[in-house]
Amino acid sequence: MSPSGELLASISSALAVAFVFLACVELGDAAAAVSVYRLIQYDLAGAPLGSRAAVLNHHAAVLPLPAGADLSRSALVAPLLDLPLSFLREYLVEKKQLGGLLILLPTNQGDKDSADDKGQVKGVLTELEKLLVHEQVPYPVYFALDDDNFGNLLADIHKIASSGQPASATTGGYKLVVSSAEPRKVSSPTISNIQGWLPGLKGEGDSEQLPTIAIVANYDTFGAAPALSLGSDSNGSGVVALLEIARLFSRLYSNPKTRGKYNILFGLTSGGPYNYNGTSKWLRGFDQRVRESIDYAICLNSVGSWSNDLWMHVSKPPENPYIKQIFEEFSDVSKEMGVSVGIKHKKINVSNPRVAWEHEQFSRFRVTALTLSEMSTPPEFLESTGGLHDTRESTDVESVIRTVRLVSESLARHIYGLRGRNIDVFAENSSLAINPRYVRSWLDLLSRTPRVAPFLQKNDPFIAALKKELSEHTSDVHVQSDALEGMFTFYDTTKATLNVYQVASVTFDLLFLLVLGSYLIVLFCFLVISTRGVDDLINIFRRPPSRKLKGA
């Protein structure tokens, strides 16, 4: 081949490659990437629950579906309020095939949403979590925050569906792809308890150990999507209330003249959704003398969305003299505040591992304890533990402040013997006043931080932040880390990236292949003619002589 022919061949080949590359780029321009959050995968006593798959690679489909539609090779995309729970129950109970499910959660609209709209969203999310968390889901399920991009995507998918042909490799449409490794078991999940002390003031010659009052709140959450389990109210509100109470009493105890003759123990515990496993380990780790010194413990749980009624849950009968005294102290302060505190008695069954309230773990160690909560009845297992609906918008700063004032004033009157005297120790506009900015800033932080215990390492920055903050107000602060025990096994892959591709139909692919093939044939013929001549081109396609003719 002559040099000019080789140059021409190189240029033509380069043009062909460039043409193919530009075509692929044009097809790939429609791709978009968004963050999605996977439905939790876990085993309970060996039973597989939650989503059992993570990889998604299917064409997108939307509701309503045509009669007899086969979704085994489709990923259903549905806004939360457009997804009938009866549809999900049907697919789960009857074990129908579904390629995948992408649920679009409404984004925060602030004051634009009416109370009815917010209530509807909360109700649907609550029922959805109950269904998905307690069932084995054989296909991948993801959550995403609805926005304009998904709005445009749904509109385009509806246009394709209106033609009467569902999206497929034949008809084209949109394809949803999540490339993820096979979920693996979380090995040796840990729980971390954080505690700090405010030592009381001993009198001269007083050798006996001072009585202790414990303020406790669990800080971890559980929900259908671990990466979205923020738990602003349950139990972010309890954690914030504890930190503010610690700040107030640290100022009171910083002066020996105003330091009470009670030790105050502050505990931030983990494993709350799992029968308060961390609380049990925390109490078991105490010296028996320390446990016996605890006068009573106040557990704070879900105190961020009440307006008038707060409930005191106890294991001992309300007629018990000590319980009666504590309740009356809280009732006196609540009446002055213009709110109501009720009391609920629930016996504990020591043989049953199920623990509905945190104070029940104290009761198992024969320590008097109570739980303050806006909930009048104990939640069901793995419910009201910081699910999808429990966001910052569901929590009110004023509710947390009311809780702090109620607990702080009641404690102060008990510690300093002020019952019956209308004295506000933490009065507004005083040096001991509650700080709304402090409450709001910590509530905002907790409302941005998922806190599902198996995915929080003991050196997690959030745990370090809690320890640092408690160290600012108390002494002898330390973290107790231990393995999460029980019937649970958790799996990783809680967050992923969803790639959305607009794909052409097979008809387009065949047409594109035909055009490209024709171009390559013409190019080949041109190169042969220009370098060898027409005769050589004809000889390529000429039928070779048979063996008989060759032999003759």
Side-chain angles (χ1 to χ4, degrees), residues 81 106-121 393:
L81 298 181
T107 54
N108 173 32
Q109 297 296 325
D111 297 332
K112 295 180 181 180
D113 289 341
S114 66
D116 292 340
D117 292 337
K118 293 178 180 178
Q120 182 185 11
V121 170
E393 289 68 38

Side-chain angles (χ1 to χ4, degrees), residues 229-252:
S229 298
L230 303 174
S232 297
D233 189 11
S234 176
N235 190 30
S237 59
V239 172
V240 175
L242 181 145
L243 292 176
E244 176 64 354
I245 293 170
R247 189 189 70 83
L248 293 175
F249 275 92
S250 69
R251 304 193 68 176
L252 201 58

Side-chain angles (χ1 to χ4, degrees), residues 21 24 67 73 104 136 140 222 286 305 330 373 380 396 424 431 447 551:
F21 176 75
C24 294
R73 295 173 180 256
L104 305 181
Q136 178 182 352
F222 180 91
F286 280 146
S305 60
F330 274 86
S373 177
E380 296 295 328
D396 178 29
D424 290 334
S431 60
S447 300

Side-chain angles (χ1 to χ4, degrees), residues 28 40 56 103 143 151 171 208 303 320-321 342 351 356 446 459 475 514 531:
I40 193 168
L56 183 65
I103 302 174
F143 300 91
T171 60
E208 293 185 4
V303 292
N320 180 281
S351 61
L446 287 161
N459 57 350
S475 60
L514 179 63
T531 55

Side-chain angles (χ1 to χ4, degrees), residues 34-39 142 178-180 226-228 492-498:
V34 294
S35 296
V36 289
Y37 309 91
R38 182 168 169 256
L39 173 66
Y142 286 94
V178 175
S179 300
S180 177
L228 294 177
D492 60 10
T493 310
T494 61
K495 186 177 179 181
T497 299
L498 170 69

Side-chain angles (χ1 to χ4, degrees), residues 250-284:
S250 69
R251 304 193 68 176
L252 201 58
Y253 271 48
S254 62
N255 187 344
K257 294 182 179 180
T258 56
R259 188 182 303 169
K261 293 186 177 181
Y262 278 82
N263 299 320
I264 305 180
L265 171 62
F266 295 93
L268 293 169
T269 59
S270 183
Y274 323 113
N275 291 320
Y276 298 97
N277 188 254
T279 309
S280 176
K281 290 180 176 293
W282 183 52
L283 290 171
R284 196 177 295 122

Side-chain angles (χ1 to χ4, degrees), residues 36-62:
V36 289
Y37 309 91
R38 182 168 169 256
L39 173 66
I40 193 168
Q41 177 179 352
Y42 70 105
D43 299 339
L44 181 60
L49 298 172
S51 178
R52 311 309 295 185
V55 177
L56 183 65
N57 189 358
H58 295 289
H59 284 82
V62 293

Side-chain angles (χ1 to χ4, degrees), residues 515-530:
V515 172
L516 182 59
S518 301
Y519 170 78
L520 292 176
I521 292 173
V522 172
L523 176 63
F524 173 77
C525 295
F526 174 76
L527 291 176
V528 173
I529 292 173
S530 62

